[in-house]
Amino acid sequence: MRTIRIPAFAKINLCLHIVGRRADGYHELRTIFQSIGLPDTLTLALTRRSRIQLDCDDPALPTGRENLVWRALDAMRRELGLKQGIRARLEK
């Protein structure tokens, strides 16, 4: 199966203010941040199974719905109308 590897750059919040809470539970933010040269690597592949499988080299991180990468992949699948699943590997 074809895969794509992309860097997910880290950032430092120089200023962060919580200005509200959205209906979905996330916070509205006003922030200034700077990306830094310490990227994670995200490897993605489509699968025949219609689910998201996230693996991570850091066993302390969750790999289910509570993970923001998992949620972003789920939102992407829904937005694009994908029937296939996604296998993802996050390297910290």
Side-chain angles (χ1 to χ4, degrees), residues 2-6 42-45:
R2 227 174 97 192
T3 62
I4 183 172
R5 289 178 57 112
I6 53 176
L42 187 60
T43 304
L44 303 172

Side-chain angles (χ1 to χ4, degrees), residues 25-81:
Y26 288 98
H27 291 95
E28 292 286 342
L29 303 176
R30 183 167 298 144
T31 183
I32 299 171
F33 60 86
Q34 174 64 53
S35 61
I36 58 175
L38 295 172
D40 295 342
T41 300
L42 187 60
T43 304
L44 303 172
L46 292 176
T47 65
R48 290 192 174 110
R49 300 179 78 187
S50 63
R51 67 184 187 103
I52 296 169
Q53 176 188 342
L54 175 62
D55 299 312
C56 183
D57 63 351
D58 182 346
L61 292 180
T63 56
R65 291 183 180 272
E66 63 277 16
N67 186 291
L68 290 178
V69 172
W70 194 99
R71 290 182 191 182
L73 294 172
D74 186 50
M76 182 181 74
R77 277 185 71 226
R78 283 185 278 115
E79 183 66 25
L80 296 175

